[in-house]
Amino acid sequence: MAAMATATASLSSAKPRSPFFDHHSSTFHGLSLHSHVAAAGRSPRHQGLSVSASSKYDLEAFRFEPIKESIVSREMTRRYMTDMITHADTDVVIVGAGSAGLSCAYELSKDPGVRVAIVEQSVSPGGGAWLGGQLFSAMVVRKPAHRFLDELGVEYDDAGAEASYVVIRHAALFTSTILSKVLARPNVKLFNAVAAEDLIVREGRVAGVVTNWALVSLNHDTQSCMDPNVMEARVVVSSCGHDGPFGATGVKRLRSIGLVDNIPGMKALDMNAAEDAIVRLTREVVPGMIVTGMEVAEIEGSARMGPTFGAMMISGQKAAHLALKALGRPNALDGSLGSLHPEMMLASAESSDVADA
Ligand SMILES: Cc1cc2nc3c(=O)[nH]c(=O)nc-3n(C[C@H](O)[C@H](O)[C@H](O)COP(=O)(O)OP(=O)(O)OC[C@H]3O[C@@H](n4cnc5c(N)ncnc54)[C@H](O)[C@@H]3O)c2cc1C
């Protein structure tokens, strides 16, 4: 995000917090800048960089700070390996970073005492929520799920108090906003391009997931003996979406190992019935494993809803509070966060309420 230099201006310096980069001189648009690198997450206006009014946008003179290639490798490797070690045994693993999984992660992340790993097989998190129906752009959200959008700060068109729904101009606005908030939380780690290939099950209880690089998972038929890795978790949230190549994988595995008898599959479209049912039926389907989002319709045989997304958000929130309850943490479902109806108040629950309760 390049800030164009006009009059004396504050500029963003997105350099990492590192002894190599603190308190140094730099160049921006060919100008000498004296940077005191701000804490991550601060806005540019807090970052003490200034440019004179006569600045020229001169990319011929633009130079990045030098770096040794091996430093790039070490920074990535050390962080990723540290994350893998941290989450080898974690509180909650969410499988699937679609709208339901991300809503769940967002809600869980409010409790700083809970560690969350998201496993997403795609390189690009977001699932089916980058577009509305028929690959159109707008995302329809039925009230009162718009309160979740208010909390996230996602703008929408609202025809007024009498209207039953709101419309986000582009579905990607919702998905990019919630992604950016989830990724900024220190207690959440997204492992994308990683698939959950299987579940860890001990004495009838789901106790984690079996993971592998998604590209490896897709090639088990072409190579042999590409053993996976594991993540133990006190709670697994399965938000793998409706059936498809990488859909409903959590509940399909439950059936193949005999922990559930039947997966009826989602029924024909009925928006009104479907969304309420998804929220109502979001639950711990077997000990240790909560199912949320469209995967609920697969295991419960409830109606599909088509391109309306409020149920994914509220189902994800409910899954988060079910997980908090299972972890013995303050949650909205057993009243420890207050007396408001969960579907109404989850979105507006303050993080301090969770932390303080
Ligand atoms: C063809 C198509 C049909 C649709 N039909 C409907 C419909 O009938 N009703 C409806 O409401 N919406 C439908 N949608 C819209 C939209 O996909 C969903 O409503 C919404 O995205 C579901 O949210 P979700 O979070 O439950 O699942 P998704 O958005 O599908 O997210 C699931 C995520 O889990 C990941 N995942 C799955 N398995 C694994 C695994 N083993 N390991 C790691 N990651 C995994 C997937 O990559 C994906 O990112 C459809 C979309 C498409 C493209």
Side-chain angles (χ1 to χ4, degrees):
M1 293 212 204
M4 294 296 291
T6 48
T8 299
S10 291
L11 298 176
S12 168
S13 170
K15 295 190 176 75
R17 296 170 76 187
S18 145
F20 295 106
F21 292 107
D22 278 349
H23 309 296
H24 66 287
S25 293
S26 180
T27 56
F28 185 85
H29 300 172
L31 295 165
S32 181
L33 304 174
H34 299 285
S35 163
H36 303 282
V37 175
R42 278 194 176 178
S43 66
R45 69 178 181 277
H46 294 127
Q47 295 193 21
L49 301 182
S50 62
V51 179
S52 76
S54 62
S55 59
K56 186 177 152 203
Y57 192 65
D58 181 7
L59 288 177
E60 293 302 314
F62 185 92
R63 294 288 180 274
F64 289 101
E65 295 292 332
I67 196 164
K68 216 165 142 21
E69 282 79 359
S70 56
I71 289 177
V72 177
S73 174
R74 285 195 187 112
E75 289 290 353
M76 293 188 302
T77 307
R78 182 165 50 79
R79 282 171 165 73
Y80 202 89
M81 294 304 151
T82 302
D83 287 332
M84 287 182 78
I85 290 166
T86 301
H87 291 285
D89 186 357
T90 196
D91 293 316
V92 183
V93 169
I94 298 172
V95 183
S99 43
L102 289 173
S103 300
C104 179
Y106 173 79
E107 195 70 18
L108 278 173
S109 72
K110 293 175 180 175
D111 185 337
V114 174
R115 262 181 311 168
V116 182
I118 310 172
V119 175
E120 166 54 55
Q121 64 83 23
S122 174
V123 171
S124 313
W130 290 107
L131 291 165
Q134 203 176 325
L135 311 186
F136 295 158
S137 307
M139 176 186 266
V140 175
V141 176
R142 289 165 62 205
K143 294 179 178 178
H146 68 300
R147 294 183 185 179
F148 187 55
L149 304 176
D150 291 340
E151 180 179 328
L152 290 172
V154 175
E155 288 186 16
Y156 51 75
D157 295 332
D158 185 356
E162 299 304 312
S164 63
Y165 64 92
V166 301
V167 184
I168 306 169
R169 195 168 32 155
H170 201 300
L173 182 57
F174 164 76
T175 302
S176 58
T177 302
I178 193 167
L179 251 180
S180 68
K181 292 192 183 295
V182 164
L183 292 174
R185 295 289 169 96
N187 52 340
V188 179
K189 169 65 186 177
L190 168 68
F191 296 93
N192 44 334
V194 174
E197 289 191 336
D198 202 348
L199 301 168
I200 304 173
V201 179
R202 279 194 292 266
E203 296 167 3
R205 182 180 178 83
V206 174
V209 292
V210 177
T211 59
N212 217 328
W213 307 119
L215 292 175
V216 172
S217 293
L218 291 167
N219 277 284
H220 283 306
D221 291 341
T222 63
Q223 306 280 324
S224 60
C225 301
M226 297 190 290
D227 274 346
N229 204 343
V230 289
M231 277 185 195
E232 287 189 67
R234 294 167 69 195
V235 180
V236 172
V237 175
S238 193
S239 46
C240 295
H242 54 67
D243 204 0
F246 257 112
T249 45
V251 297
K252 284 195 280 191
R253 189 60 180 142
L254 289 182
R255 180 181 55 190
S256 66
I257 58 178
L259 285 181
V260 300
D261 294 334
N262 186 25
I263 302 176
M266 64 181 172
K267 296 291 183 291
L269 192 150
D270 177 345
M271 286 188 187
N272 288 297
E275 289 213 277
D276 295 348
I278 291 282
V279 175
R280 188 177 69 254
L281 297 170
T282 296
R283 64 188 175 94
E284 188 174 17
V285 293
V286 300
M289 183 161 142
I290 295 160
V291 176
T292 179
M294 280 308 289
E295 202 172 10
V296 173
E298 295 290 342
I299 193 168
E300 301 290 351
S302 57
R304 65 189 293 186
M305 72 217 50
T308 169
F309 286 79
M312 302 300 121
M313 301 166 196
I314 306 301
S315 167
Q317 287 193 311
K318 182 179 176 187
H321 285 265
L322 287 166
L324 290 169
K325 191 174 173 193
L327 293 168
R329 308 288 301 179
N331 64 87
L333 301 175
D334 63 12
S336 51
L337 282 184
S339 57
L340 292 169
H341 191 284
E343 286 162 41
M344 303 296 115
M345 58 76 68
L346 293 186
S348 58
E350 295 292 338
S351 52
S352 57
D353 291 345
V354 178
D356 296 341

